[in-house]
Amino acid sequence: MAAVAVQSNTIVATGRASLSALDGDWFAPLVGLCLITLLGVVIFGGVRRISHITEVLVPVMAVVYLLLGIAVVALNITDLPRVLADIVGGAFGLREVVGGGIGTALAQGIRRGMFSNEAGLGSSPNAAAAADVSHPVKQGLVQSLGVYFDTLLICSITAFIILTSDPDLSERRSADLTQSALQASLGTWAGHVLTAVVFLLAFSSMIGNFYYGRANIEFITTNPQVLTAFRILVLVAVFGGALGSVSLIWNLADVFMGVMALVNLAAIIPLGVVAFRLLADYRAQRGAGADPVYVHRADIADPAGVQCWQATIASSLPGKPAH
């Protein structure tokens, strides 16, 4: 719920910055109503429609944002040494060491890093588990690549965009900070383009978060009334996020995501044994020159403790009999 609230709050922030001439007390409620209408159409339309929308929106969003970021870096290439010095000095400088700022920088980095790539939260595995692969380690490697793409590439480009404009960081701001930095480097049109990019990103994230919640609820119960109530709560959270302040919404997100991480880490520890066995099996097959295929779950872990990769799945693979 907190995640979808953050996304709607971000859409409102960038919309206000892009359409400042139209801003007023009515702006946030109107955007919130539009968002719950669009999202309501999607989430009541079924999971297949969700997958079709996200697979189109996400690549477009990523490519456009990367092109904007590369353009800013190219235009301010002489500023890169200063920007890198600001990043390193702001985290590990003498002032930060004396004032305890390193711990604050690390804590803030962990919070934002989890939000950018969801590593350790236990949310993205919901989508990864739906992938059709012959060996689970294949999808695990794809998920690992996402961490580098989201954090090291996208977040680094965002930092370069913002720091080249020498912004005022005295108050907590949302995506409108990146928006104003883009406008300073590329012109007003770039701010409008970023508004569209942020909408695509945030809206697709809302859809994805709904899918995660739906998958978890359907695992617990098949009662359609529970799922309907969940849909309504998601729409309420979207509308509330549109109305709330940046600080309030992000602080709530930090709390709830921290709880998610603690619960997930407690589950990862015992699952780690199975994961390392799977990785060893994958490496052994690759070392033998074969395309890794996981057929017999009893070779990896106690079948009584594994509720996936059944014999029926293994038997569907070409040339691989079930055990």
Side-chain angles (χ1 to χ4, degrees):
M1 297 300 178
V4 296
V6 167
Q7 305 301 343
S8 62
N9 185 267
T10 301
I11 290 175
V12 170
T14 56
R16 273 183 166 151
S18 184
L19 305 172
S20 56
L22 301 178
D23 191 16
D25 294 338
W26 53 270
F27 187 82
L30 178 61
V31 173
L33 288 174
C34 292
L35 288 175
I36 63 175
T37 300
L38 291 173
L39 187 62
V41 170
V42 173
I43 67 178
F44 282 96
V47 174
R48 182 166 298 179
R49 181 178 298 177
I50 291 173
S51 63
H52 289 167
I53 291 176
T54 54
E55 71 185 9
V56 173
L57 294 184
V58 172
V60 172
M61 170 273 301
V63 171
V64 171
Y65 187 72
L66 282 175
L67 291 176
L68 288 175
I70 292 172
V72 172
V73 173
L75 291 173
N76 299 277
I77 193 69
T78 56
D79 273 350
L80 282 184
R82 177 188 64 79
V83 169
L84 292 174
D86 286 345
I87 293 173
V88 176
F92 304 107
L94 178 62
R95 181 184 61 185
E96 285 70 27
V97 171
V98 175
I102 290 182
T104 302
L106 290 175
Q108 182 70 2
I110 291 172
R111 288 198 295 267
R112 293 298 152 259
M114 287 195 305
F115 198 88
S116 70
N117 57 57
E118 301 185 11
L121 290 182
S123 54
S124 55
N126 289 275
D132 184 14
V133 293
S134 62
H135 198 289
V137 171
K138 291 182 178 180
Q139 185 60 28
L141 294 174
V142 172
Q143 295 299 112
S144 299
L145 177 63
V147 174
Y148 293 94
F149 181 83
D150 290 339
T151 303
L152 295 183
L153 183 58
I154 299 295
C155 291
S156 294
I157 283 182
T158 302
F160 290 145
I161 291 173
I162 293 173
L163 293 177
T164 52
S165 67
D166 194 19
D168 178 13
L169 301 176
S170 60
E171 60 178 308
R172 190 169 192 174
R173 297 172 62 185
S174 186
D176 59 317
L177 179 61
T178 309
Q179 194 171 22
S180 60
L182 273 175
Q183 291 175 337
S185 296
L186 301 178
T188 305
W189 66 269
H192 299 311
V193 172
L194 184 62
T195 299
V197 171
V198 167
F199 173 77
L200 294 178
L201 167 65
F203 189 69
S204 61
S205 296
M206 290 179 191
I207 297 172
N209 281 296
F210 166 75
Y211 172 75
Y212 296 158
R214 172 181 174 142
N216 290 326
I217 288 176
E218 289 180 336
F219 179 79
I220 298 173
T221 178
T222 57
N223 188 337
Q225 294 180 348
V226 175
L227 186 57
T228 299
F230 172 69
R231 288 190 176 105
I232 294 173
L233 286 175
V234 168
L235 297 180
V236 170
V238 169
F239 190 73
L243 300 180
S245 65
V246 172
S247 296
L248 173 63
I249 298 302
W250 277 97
N251 286 334
L252 287 174
D254 288 341
V255 171
F256 285 110
M257 294 179 77
V259 172
M260 284 178 59
L262 291 175
V263 174
N264 186 59
L265 290 174
I268 284 178
I269 294 174
L271 287 175
V273 176
V274 178
F276 281 113
R277 289 177 182 174
L278 287 167
L279 180 60
D281 177 71
Y282 176 86
R283 287 177 170 173
Q285 293 189 50
R286 285 294 301 270
D291 181 19
V293 175
Y294 179 35
V295 178
H296 194 183
R297 65 176 182 169
D299 292 339
I300 305 299
D302 177 14
V306 178
Q307 298 180 6
C308 60
W309 295 90
Q310 304 283 358
T312 54
I313 298 177
S315 63
S316 67
L317 297 173
K320 299 294 180 180
H323 292 270

